[in-house]
Amino acid sequence: MKTTAQRLNEALDIPACTVVMTGTQAITTSIDTDVSWSGVDGINWTDANGNPMWSAVNPTRITIRKDGIYRIGFELHYAVTDVDGKRVASLTRNNTGVPTNTATKAFDSSRFNTLNDPSPLGSHRETPLNVGDILRLSTWQNSGSTQNVIGNTIEGMSFMYAVWDRPLIS
């Protein structure tokens, strides 16, 4: 059965997708790693050709299916561990997910998360996107050992989203 939000979204034809992590993902020290999402939370808009914005075939990305100005954002939770180091997350557009080219960054997390800080990494903004653009979230940490990103914590759930807001104006 569809939720009220899903029915409203379909009726208004507004592209939207929120992906979530339900498990744990190990992040190796000092290596940028794409976050792999477990599924969608609510809406996963599909274009007229039947192409969804998120698919388990490519679980690290949201694909934009309609030109426009989008509200995009994420929240990412690392497990609290007694190790030194920093953690950061970067949302990229049309990149491998590893933010090696600064031109592909949509934005970085608002700050670094450090030793035993349970605060999530995250940020939100509006940006123009085009059909075929691919959004990925990558994360990096330099603790000296593998650390876990947690999908569902007492502080909240790890997620990434893209919601169409309005058309592009030329």
Side-chain angles (χ1 to χ4, degrees):
M1 179 165 198
K2 293 183 180 179
T3 66
T4 301
Q6 287 171 312
R7 290 193 308 276
L8 179 61
N9 179 264
E10 290 172 359
L12 297 175
D13 195 30
I14 298 172
C17 183
T18 300
V19 290
V20 295
M21 178 188 292
T22 56
T24 301
Q25 182 176 349
I27 308 298
T28 305
T29 191
S30 301
I31 295 178
D32 283 300
T33 305
D34 283 343
V35 175
S36 187
W37 303 103
S38 307
V40 295
D41 182 26
I43 301 166
N44 184 17
W45 189 80
T46 302
D47 67 15
N49 297 319
N51 299 308
M53 292 178 72
W54 180 85
S55 168
V57 174
N58 293 303
T60 61
R61 67 193 204 184
I62 291 176
T63 303
I64 300 305
R65 304 291 183 194
K66 180 178 179 179
D67 294 341
I69 305 296
Y70 281 76
R71 287 174 281 128
I72 59 175
F74 67 91
E75 187 170 297
L76 193 64
H77 297 266
Y78 270 87
V80 177
T81 55
D82 290 322
V83 295
D84 291 326
K86 297 179 181 178
R87 296 145 183 88
V88 69
S90 299
L91 185 59
T92 62
R93 182 183 71 241
N94 299 331
N95 198 25
T96 60
V98 177
T100 54
N101 178 353
T102 56
T104 66
K105 287 186 181 183
F107 58 87
D108 282 329
S109 56
S110 56
R111 62 181 185 77
F112 280 88
N113 180 321
T114 57
L115 172 65
N116 279 332
D117 184 351
S119 300
L121 297 170
S123 195
H124 310 275
R125 72 175 289 200
E126 283 192 347
T127 191
L129 296 170
N130 299 103
V131 171
D133 282 348
I134 294 172
L135 300 177
R136 286 187 176 95
L137 184 66
S138 66
T139 188
W140 175 91
Q141 58 88 16
N142 67 348
S143 69
S145 62
T146 298
Q147 299 298 310
N148 289 327
V149 169
I150 306 292
N152 198 359
T153 70
I154 195 166
E155 293 87 19
M157 182 170 263
S158 293
F159 64 87
M160 178 175 74
Y161 70 90
V163 178
W164 188 90
D165 190 54
R166 61 189 181 276
L168 294 171
I169 299 175
S170 306

CSV table of all heavy atoms in Angstrom, one decimal, residues 1 8 20 39 52 57 68 85 88 92 94 118 122 143 154:
chain,number,residue,atom,x,y,z
A,1,MET,N,0.8,-1.2,0.0
A,1,MET,CA,0.0,0.0,0.0
A,1,MET,C,0.9,1.2,0.0
A,1,MET,O,1.9,1.3,0.7
A,1,MET,CB,-0.9,0.0,1.2
A,1,MET,CG,-1.8,1.2,1.3
A,1,MET,SD,-3.1,0.8,2.5
A,1,MET,CE,-4.2,2.1,2.1
A,8,LEU,N,0.8,11.5,-3.4
A,8,LEU,CA,0.9,12.9,-3.7
A,8,LEU,C,2.1,13.2,-4.7
A,8,LEU,O,1.9,13.9,-5.6
A,8,LEU,CB,1.1,13.8,-2.4
A,8,LEU,CG,1.3,15.3,-2.6
A,8,LEU,CD1,0.0,15.8,-3.2
A,8,LEU,CD2,1.5,15.9,-1.3
A,20,VAL,N,18.5,5.0,2.2
A,20,VAL,CA,18.9,4.8,3.5
A,20,VAL,C,19.8,3.6,3.6
A,20,VAL,O,19.8,2.8,2.8
A,20,VAL,CB,17.7,4.6,4.5
A,20,VAL,CG1,16.8,5.9,4.5
A,20,VAL,CG2,16.9,3.4,4.0
A,39,GLY,N,18.4,0.7,0.6
A,39,GLY,CA,17.1,0.8,-0.1
A,39,GLY,C,16.6,2.3,0.0
A,39,GLY,O,17.3,3.2,0.4
A,52,PRO,N,13.9,4.2,-12.4
A,52,PRO,CA,13.9,4.8,-11.0
A,52,PRO,C,15.1,5.7,-10.7
A,52,PRO,O,16.1,5.5,-11.4
A,52,PRO,CB,13.8,3.6,-10.1
A,52,PRO,CG,14.6,2.5,-10.8
A,52,PRO,CD,14.3,2.8,-12.3
A,57,VAL,N,20.8,-2.3,-8.2
A,57,VAL,CA,21.8,-2.6,-9.2
A,57,VAL,C,23.0,-1.7,-9.0
A,57,VAL,O,24.2,-2.1,-9.2
A,57,VAL,CB,21.3,-2.6,-10.7
A,57,VAL,CG1,22.4,-2.8,-11.7
A,57,VAL,CG2,20.2,-3.6,-10.8
A,68,GLY,N,16.2,20.3,-13.4
A,68,GLY,CA,15.5,21.2,-12.4
A,68,GLY,C,16.5,21.6,-11.3
A,68,GLY,O,17.6,21.2,-11.3
A,85,GLY,N,41.6,10.7,14.9
A,85,GLY,CA,41.4,10.9,13.5
A,85,GLY,C,40.1,11.7,13.2
A,85,GLY,O,39.4,12.1,14.1
A,88,VAL,N,35.1,12.7,7.2
A,88,VAL,CA,34.4,13.7,6.4
A,88,VAL,C,33.6,13.0,5.3
A,88,VAL,O,33.9,11.8,5.0
A,88,VAL,CB,35.4,14.7,5.7
A,88,VAL,CG1,36.3,14.0,4.7
A,88,VAL,CG2,34.7,15.9,5.1
A,92,THR,N,29.0,14.1,-4.3
A,92,THR,CA,29.6,14.4,-5.6
A,92,THR,C,28.5,14.3,-6.7
A,92,THR,O,27.6,13.6,-6.6
A,92,THR,CB,30.8,13.6,-6.0
A,92,THR,OG1,30.4,12.2,-6.1
A,92,THR,CG2,31.9,13.7,-5.0
A,94,ASN,N,28.3,13.4,-10.8
A,94,ASN,CA,29.0,13.0,-12.1
A,94,ASN,C,30.5,12.6,-11.8
A,94,ASN,O,31.3,13.0,-12.6
A,94,ASN,CB,28.8,13.9,-13.2
A,94,ASN,CG,27.4,14.1,-13.6
A,94,ASN,OD1,26.6,13.3,-13.4
A,94,ASN,ND2,27.1,15.3,-14.0
A,118,PRO,N,29.5,12.0,18.5
A,118,PRO,CA,28.4,11.2,17.9
A,118,PRO,C,27.6,12.1,16.9
A,118,PRO,O,26.7,11.6,16.3
A,118,PRO,CB,27.6,10.9,19.1
A,118,PRO,CG,27.9,12.0,20.1
A,118,PRO,CD,29.3,12.4,19.8
A,122,GLY,N,26.8,15.9,7.8
A,122,GLY,CA,25.7,16.1,6.9
A,122,GLY,C,25.7,17.6,6.4
A,122,GLY,O,26.3,18.5,7.0
A,143,SER,N,41.7,7.4,10.9
A,143,SER,CA,41.9,7.0,12.3
A,143,SER,C,43.1,6.0,12.5
A,143,SER,O,43.6,5.8,13.6
A,143,SER,CB,40.7,6.2,12.8
A,143,SER,OG,40.5,5.0,12.2
A,154,ILE,N,21.1,5.5,17.5
A,154,ILE,CA,20.3,6.3,18.4
A,154,ILE,C,20.2,7.7,18.0
A,154,ILE,O,19.2,8.4,18.3
A,154,ILE,CB,20.8,6.1,19.9
A,154,ILE,CG1,19.7,6.5,20.9
A,154,ILE,CG2,22.1,6.8,20.1
A,154,ILE,CD1,20.0,6.1,22.3
